[in-house]
Amino acid sequence: TNGSAPAVPSDQYDSLYLSPVTVGSSTLHLDFDTGSSDLWVFSSLQAQSSLVGHDYYMVDPAKEKQGYTWKISYGDGSGASGKVYADKVVVGGVTATAQAVEAATAVSAQFTQDVDTDGLLGLAMSTLNTVKPQQQKTFFDTVLKQLAQPLFAVDLKYHAAGSYDFGFIDKSKYTGAINYVNADTSKGWWGVSATAYSIGNASTSATVSGILDTGTTLLYVDTPIVKAYYAKVKGSKMDNTQGGYVFPCSATLPDFSLTIGGVKQIVPGKHINYSPTSAGNCFGGIQTNDGIGFSILGDIFLKSKYVIHEMGSTPRIGFAQQ
Ligand SMILES: CC1CCN(C(=N)N)CC1
Ligand SMILES: CC1CCN(C(=N)N)CC1
């Protein structure tokens, strides 16, 4: 089998993308996240006050995995925890009949306030799943053997609805060749390395190692590269109050690229103007990964590409231009 689900920007800045998923008998809107490996949802186990504005999973006690729990926290300090059920999950017509569904009993304010997001669907390696006493599989791992091809493809778009394809490559979603590189899955994520970066027409050799991450809004790279980029943006500055580099909203932003597998993967300058700030300037889509030791190729990087995540005998990542 194969199937496709839409990926709809949650707001006008593409802060995150939401996809409809049937969990049990409810349809929820989940943030597909290639940076984590838990499928967790807002649920009827939570206080009613936490559910206002959300769709949520009506748990069926008969389906509970007794004694199983989960607890997750994300880089931005948000997090959630709860109990585990085995229930039907359908994504774009692809069905997992007994998927581990992590039903929240408690959720941090960042999620409760984000009334559009009813939970996350992790698409990293199942080795990062947080369920105890036995780690559970991601949705992709659960359905892998029933897929026509062992892959999913990410088609996030700039200020428009894209899609996640499971089990097939959609030729109508990209132009030119697909360029494949081996994925480094040793840390549980979809890891890639670049051998150079470019700012405008100038290229610099450098090793940029990072993870592909649909669950992160921006593109986080090493500080020297960030500084070199904004040196080319008139009026840009590091603004600690806003938490990153900002610039006049009228600024012309150079294209940025990472060379992966010998091919320049270009991020158009336009995509690097993420959003206006409360201070009257604009917030950059490229920011520093300060000190986490690797880069995070989030939505700002992904939204100009069609990215195939293939879990064959050797995991691979394929890049093509949208
Ligand atoms: C390395 C971090 C990247 C952001 N995260 C995520 N998308 N779930 C958490 C892990
Ligand atoms: C990977 C996740 C990080 C935390 N998120 C959030 N606060 N809304 C969602 C995505």
Side-chain angles (χ1 to χ4, degrees):
T1 55
N2 56 44
S4 186
V8 181
S10 66
D11 63 20
Q12 59 188 313
Y13 309 122
D14 304 341
S15 4
L16 54 97
Y17 296 81
L18 294 168
S19 300
V21 177
T22 303
V23 183
S25 52
S26 319
T27 295
L28 308 184
H29 294 90
L30 305 185
D31 179 359
F32 286 18
D33 178 17
T34 54
S36 66
S37 307
D38 285 50
L39 195 175
W40 74 261
V41 291
F42 275 70
S43 88
S44 53
L45 299 176
Q46 294 170 255
Q48 283 294 326
S49 56
S50 308
L51 295 174
V52 174
H54 287 275
D55 293 302
Y56 59 89
Y57 171 55
M58 280 294 296
V59 304
D60 174 352
K63 294 178 179 166
E64 183 180 2
K65 292 178 74 78
Q66 298 271 337
Y68 282 63
T69 58
W70 61 280
K71 182 175 169 51
I72 196 163
S73 56
Y74 298 102
D76 66 356
S78 64
S81 60
K83 298 180 176 182
V84 186
Y85 295 75
D87 210 338
K88 186 176 82 163
V89 173
V90 186
V91 176
V94 178
T95 299
T97 50
Q99 171 66 36
V101 175
E102 301 173 33
T105 51
V107 172
S108 69
Q110 289 105 320
F111 283 107
T112 311
Q113 287 154 8
D114 168 6
V115 291
D116 302 317
T117 303
D118 303 323
L120 260 71
L121 187 142
L123 291 169
M125 309 308 128
S126 297
T127 48
L128 297 182
N129 179 266
T130 73
V131 172
K132 292 187 164 64
Q134 279 172 356
Q135 205 165 50
Q136 299 297 302
K137 286 182 178 180
T138 65
F139 171 79
F140 178 54
D141 255 357
T142 304
V143 301
L144 193 55
K145 290 198 173 61
Q146 69 172 280
L147 296 177
Q149 293 175 267
L151 62 86
F152 65 89
V154 177
D155 181 24
L156 300 183
K157 288 183 175 298
Y158 174 76
H159 298 183
S163 58
Y164 286 89
D165 297 330
F166 288 88
F168 76 110
I169 292 170
D170 186 335
K171 288 191 174 313
S172 74
K173 292 180 180 170
Y174 66 92
T175 60
I178 300 171
N179 190 265
Y180 285 97
V181 293
N182 288 346
D184 170 8
T185 60
S186 61
K187 295 198 183 62
W189 290 303
W190 294 91
V192 290
S193 274
T195 52
Y197 65 90
S198 70
I199 298 167
N201 296 326
S203 273
T204 304
S205 290
T207 299
V208 178
S209 295
I211 65 168
L212 298 178
D213 186 5
T214 57
T216 289
T217 312
L218 306 182
L219 168 52
Y220 296 91
V221 293
D222 293 346
T223 303
I225 299 174
V226 179
K227 287 186 170 173
Y229 182 81
Y230 290 108
K232 302 293 184 191
V233 179
K234 254 199 207 56
S236 66
K237 64 182 179 182
M238 177 63 197
D239 180 334
N240 289 306
T241 315
Q242 295 295 335
Y245 280 85
V246 298
F247 45 80
C249 295
S250 56
T252 303
L253 295 164
D255 294 351
F256 178 80
S257 81
L258 291 174
T259 299
I260 300 171
V263 176
K264 274 189 176 179
Q265 297 301 336
I266 298 172
V267 179
K270 177 174 115 175
H271 291 189
I272 300 167
N273 184 338
Y274 169 60
S275 74
T277 72
S278 49
N281 42 33
C282 274
F283 197 79
I286 294 177
Q287 298 293 344
T288 176
N289 65 347
D290 56 13
I292 59 170
F294 55 93
S295 296
I296 302 178
L297 310 188
D299 302 340
I300 291 287
F301 179 80
L302 293 167
K303 66 177 78 169
S304 46
K305 302 171 189 6
Y306 187 66
V307 185
I308 293 148
H309 299 64
E310 183 189 78
M311 189 51 81
S313 46
T314 302
R316 295 194 305 172
I317 294 161
F319 292 97
Q321 197 55 32
Q322 278 186 26

